[in-house]
Amino acid sequence: MLDAAARFLEARPRSVGEVRRRLRQAGYRDELIEASIERLTEFGVLDDTAFARQWVESRDRAHPRGEHALMIELRQKGIDGPTIAATLRERREAAVRWEDGPTNDSDSERSAGAALEVTAAERLLKRHTRALARIGDSRVRRQKAYALLARNGFDPETASTVARRFVETLGDDQGQAAIEDAPTHGPMSPGSD
């Protein structure tokens, strides 16, 4: 059974919850599953804290998400609440260090966290500039941008602010330049990032 778990881990890192679910689906007994998980944890192959950090960093880099969406994704992966909270707190603290230097001020952490969300939202909209710029009506364009951000876990205030600012930058003069500078992606679909 340890081999089955190891093969499952070959493709990418997994959480303890994912491995447990996979082994149960394969029909292994619970006591054997727990023994295998314990063994893999001892070897350092399974580590939910490291997995959560890596997941969030990967999402920030490749598929920007709001904090709410990250929380849901981590829960679906079987990560416990305290680990999720600690990981997201570390993400905000890293943003504070990046923005202001070392500090323990909770207001700085909140503002840096908000800035992190805004930056991620802007990156997401930039990836979809071509599709959004094709929409002629600025009101509809703003609604589509807002909906894209909301689907990706950004809070309503961030989604509204960033969508409005995005539509303003796609005015007549800048819209064509933004389309030319935007990365090439296919048309937006409801499930796209």
Side-chain angles (χ1 to χ4, degrees):
M1 176 171 39
L2 205 53
D3 289 339
R7 279 192 308 275
F8 184 55
L9 291 166
E10 284 177 356
R12 68 167 176 83
R14 310 280 181 166
S15 70
V16 171
E18 288 178 299
V19 172
R20 184 176 286 122
R21 269 192 303 271
R22 179 63 173 251
L23 293 175
R24 278 191 183 134
Q25 288 173 348
Y28 292 104
R29 293 190 328 250
D30 284 344
E31 60 272 4
L32 294 175
I33 292 171
E34 294 309 316
S36 294
I37 287 174
E38 186 177 320
R39 194 72 190 255
L40 290 169
T41 303
E42 288 171 6
F43 291 148
V45 176
L46 281 178
D47 180 354
D48 277 355
T49 302
F51 174 83
R53 282 186 193 124
Q54 182 181 6
W55 184 265
V56 168
E57 289 170 7
S58 172
R59 284 307 210 183
D60 283 344
R61 243 186 348 269
H63 300 285
R65 297 279 191 265
E67 200 168 278
H68 182 72
L70 292 171
M71 190 180 329
I72 289 171
E73 288 176 351
L74 289 171
R75 276 193 187 137
Q76 289 172 341
K77 299 291 180 192
I79 306 298
D80 63 26
T83 303
I84 293 171
T87 302
L88 295 177
R89 185 175 45 257
E90 287 174 12
R91 178 181 183 241
R92 287 188 302 272
E93 289 170 356
V96 169
R97 286 190 301 276
W98 182 257
E99 294 282 324
D100 302 329
T103 182
N104 288 332
D105 184 17
S106 63
D107 289 337
S108 293
E109 183 180 331
R110 273 193 293 277
S111 67
L116 183 67
E117 291 283 297
V118 167
T119 301
E122 289 169 344
R123 285 182 38 232
L124 181 60
L125 288 181
K126 184 171 173 76
R127 289 180 55 200
H128 295 281
T129 299
R130 284 184 177 272
L132 290 168
R134 284 189 220 121
I135 301 169
D137 184 351
S138 64
R139 185 178 61 78
V140 173
R141 184 183 305 145
R142 187 177 64 245
Q143 289 171 345
K144 295 267 188 191
Y146 179 92
L148 175 66
L149 294 172
R151 278 193 310 274
N152 283 281
F154 293 97
D155 65 88
E157 183 180 336
T158 300
S160 178
T161 302
V162 173
R164 180 182 36 77
R165 213 170 29 212
F166 176 78
V167 169
E168 289 170 359
T169 62
L170 285 181
D172 295 331
D173 300 344
Q174 297 173 348
Q176 190 59 36
I179 293 170
E180 292 167 4
D181 293 341
T184 305
H185 289 286
M188 270 183 19
S189 65
S192 67
D193 320 308

